[in-house]
Amino acid sequence: MNIHVDIYTFLALTIFALLILTYALVIQVVLLRLFHGYQYKQEQKFFAVWEEKIFMFLEGEEKPQALIKKINRSKYLYLLHFLREFLLMLKGDDFLKLSAIVNDTKIQQFLIAQIKSGSPKKINEAAYYLGLAKSVAAKNILRKKLRSQNASVFLSCALALARLNDVNIIFDIFGNARRFKFVSKDSLLTILSEFTDEICAPLLKNLKSEKNVLIQSITITLFRHFKYYKAGESVLKIMVYSQNKEVIIESIKFFSSIEFMEASTAMRSLINHPKPEVRTEVLKALAVLGNESFEQRIWDCMYDPEYEVQYNAVITLLKLIPSSEEKISQFAYGNRKDRAAAIARMVLSERSIRN
């Protein structure tokens, strides 16, 4: 009997504790919503007052230090939130004048103090605005934070350094990124594309001895982003000897984007590559890099086992050799039961609709 009473008492206490926890969580959510709602209203009030003052500052001769004296330290983040879109959009003298509100005032020290704090949230926000304003004074502390064990801190500081165009830190970014399994190629490309094309020379020098296929792939993608023609010969050597699908595909895209005609010879062997993604990319590139001598090889691709390869073979023939349309049309409508012919009819139909 006592055992049953103890069980019922335990269950009752457990249910009571769960109810208390539920109510506490509900209250916490309500309070957070109220707090964020209050913050939003306060921020909007700040924007309404300061929008005109910022425009007057840009048009006038007021010093940034004089402007910041009018703002309470507790409102610095409101001001930074307001400046964000302008710092992203403005160039030249307007950008320099606006960024001086951060770089030449107490706001810079406020943000650097945030980076030195132990809060990842504060560090990330501070790094974002220091990078956006291109605050050179923050460079050393941002470099130290690259070694953080927190992935979001690493990414935000790497992005800030990229916006500062700190070219010497590129390989530290690569090295530290390896510590985080979920830091993707796309994340690194988003960061590294914030550098100027000055990044290309050291990347090219490194590529000649680089064995890591991820770094090879990212490097070649960046060369394509910056249309860095000087890398053509080195990338061609990498592509010819590489066994990595991503490296080969990025190389082909690079050659196509810069119209590196010297790569067309290498395409003759790659058109029969065992990976269909590579064969597809080769066909797309040949529309730019190829010539009529490739015609028969491209025709052969129309009988490839992969649909994407067949489809792109027709597209490439029409782009590379416009006079081939009549021949393709005869093939398409003279072989009703042939899959390649059916794909050719579809491409011709799409072409007709677009025209």
Side-chain angles (χ1 to χ4, degrees):
M1 185 68 179
N2 288 337
I3 292 173
H4 287 298
V5 170
D6 287 343
I7 291 172
Y8 290 140
T9 301
F10 174 74
L11 289 173
L13 289 171
T14 301
I15 292 169
F16 180 73
L18 288 172
L19 286 172
I20 294 294
L21 180 61
T22 302
Y23 285 132
L25 289 172
V26 169
I27 291 169
Q28 185 180 25
V29 169
V30 170
L31 289 174
L32 282 172
R33 291 190 66 177
L34 289 172
F35 175 72
H36 287 305
Y38 172 77
Q39 270 198 325
Y40 177 76
K41 287 180 180 177
Q42 290 298 107
E43 193 169 68
Q44 293 305 304
K45 284 181 182 178
F46 180 88
F47 289 178
V49 173
W50 279 89
E51 182 174 10
E52 184 179 354
K53 291 183 180 182
I54 294 297
F55 282 115
M56 288 177 65
F57 168 78
L58 285 172
E59 294 171 1
E61 300 297 327
E62 187 179 14
K63 298 294 183 184
Q65 297 87 342
L67 182 76
I68 295 306
K69 282 182 180 179
K70 302 172 187 176
I71 303 175
N72 190 292
R73 183 184 172 88
S74 64
K75 300 291 193 298
Y76 283 177
L77 286 177
Y78 291 168
L79 177 64
L80 290 165
H81 293 169
F82 178 76
L83 295 179
R84 176 172 51 200
E85 294 301 320
F86 297 100
L87 288 169
L88 283 167
M89 292 186 300
L90 293 178
K91 306 291 181 187
D93 291 342
D94 284 339
F95 173 81
L96 291 174
K97 190 162 188 179
L98 197 68
S99 63
I101 294 175
V102 175
N103 297 331
D104 298 343
T105 70
K106 294 178 180 179
I107 289 183
Q108 186 179 74
Q109 292 309 312
F110 165 78
L111 291 173
I112 289 175
Q114 297 279 78
I115 284 191
K116 291 178 179 178
S117 76
S119 166
K121 182 181 177 182
K122 289 181 179 180
I123 294 169
N124 292 341
E125 191 163 42
Y128 177 78
Y129 287 108
L130 287 165
L132 212 55
K134 303 190 188 305
S135 296
V136 178
K139 188 183 291 185
N140 288 336
I141 184 67
L142 287 167
R143 284 179 170 187
K144 289 178 183 177
K145 290 295 179 179
L146 277 183
R147 298 191 289 272
S148 170
Q149 297 302 311
N150 185 295
S152 68
V153 170
F154 161 73
L155 289 169
S156 61
C157 291
L159 180 62
L161 288 164
R163 285 175 167 160
L164 284 166
N165 202 38
D166 186 7
V167 173
N168 295 326
I169 208 69
I170 300 166
F171 300 108
D172 284 343
I173 291 175
F174 281 138
N176 284 286
R178 291 172 184 165
R179 294 183 292 115
F180 306 104
K181 291 182 180 179
F182 49 87
V183 173
S184 66
K185 174 184 174 181
D186 287 343
S187 298
L188 288 173
L189 282 171
T190 298
I191 290 167
L192 296 169
S193 61
E194 289 286 335
F195 282 94
T196 68
D197 60 3
E198 289 178 42
I199 195 177
C200 293
L203 283 174
L204 177 56
K205 183 179 179 181
N206 178 71
L207 184 64
K208 293 173 182 178
S209 59
E210 182 61 63
K211 301 302 180 186
N212 184 291
V213 292
L214 177 60
I215 295 178
Q216 286 180 345
S217 177
I218 289 172
T219 298
I220 295 166
T221 305
L222 288 167
F223 289 157
R224 173 160 58 97
H225 173 74
F226 291 111
K227 296 194 179 298
Y228 191 62
Y229 196 91
K230 290 180 181 178
E233 290 293 339
S234 295
V235 174
L236 185 55
K237 289 178 183 177
I238 294 284
M239 184 186 76
V240 168
Y241 293 106
S242 180
Q243 299 298 313
N244 182 269
K245 181 180 72 175
E246 295 300 322
V247 170
I248 295 170
I249 287 174
E250 288 302 333
S251 300
I252 295 167
K253 289 180 178 179
F254 167 64
F255 295 135
S256 182
S257 72
I258 65 168
E259 299 185 17
F260 192 75
M261 305 308 294
E262 293 90 333
S264 61
T265 303
M267 301 295 173
R268 291 184 183 275
S269 58
L270 287 176
I271 205 168
N272 296 315
H273 195 276
K275 298 290 185 182
E277 300 93 332
V278 173
R279 299 198 299 274
T280 298
E281 212 56 54
V282 168
L283 287 167
K284 291 178 183 178
L286 286 177
V288 178
L289 305 176
N291 53 54
E292 293 190 2
S293 69
F294 284 88
E295 183 176 4
Q296 187 55 54
R297 286 174 178 265
I298 299 170
W299 269 100
D300 293 343
C301 289
M302 290 171 68
Y303 287 97
D304 193 278
E306 296 292 331
Y307 167 80
E308 285 294 325
V309 178
Q310 290 180 290
Y311 180 85
N312 280 285
V314 182
I315 294 286
T316 300
L317 276 173
L318 290 169
K319 288 181 178 178
L320 186 62
I321 311 169
S323 61
S324 67
E325 182 170 357
E326 184 178 349
K327 183 179 176 181
I328 292 171
S329 182
Q330 290 174 355
F331 168 77
Y333 294 100
N335 300 272
R336 289 287 177 177
K337 295 183 180 180
D338 188 283
R339 189 177 97 156
I343 293 171
R345 286 196 298 275
M346 183 182 69
V347 173
L348 290 170
S349 177
E350 289 175 352
R351 184 182 176 92
S352 176
I353 291 169
R354 284 196 300 270
N355 293 338

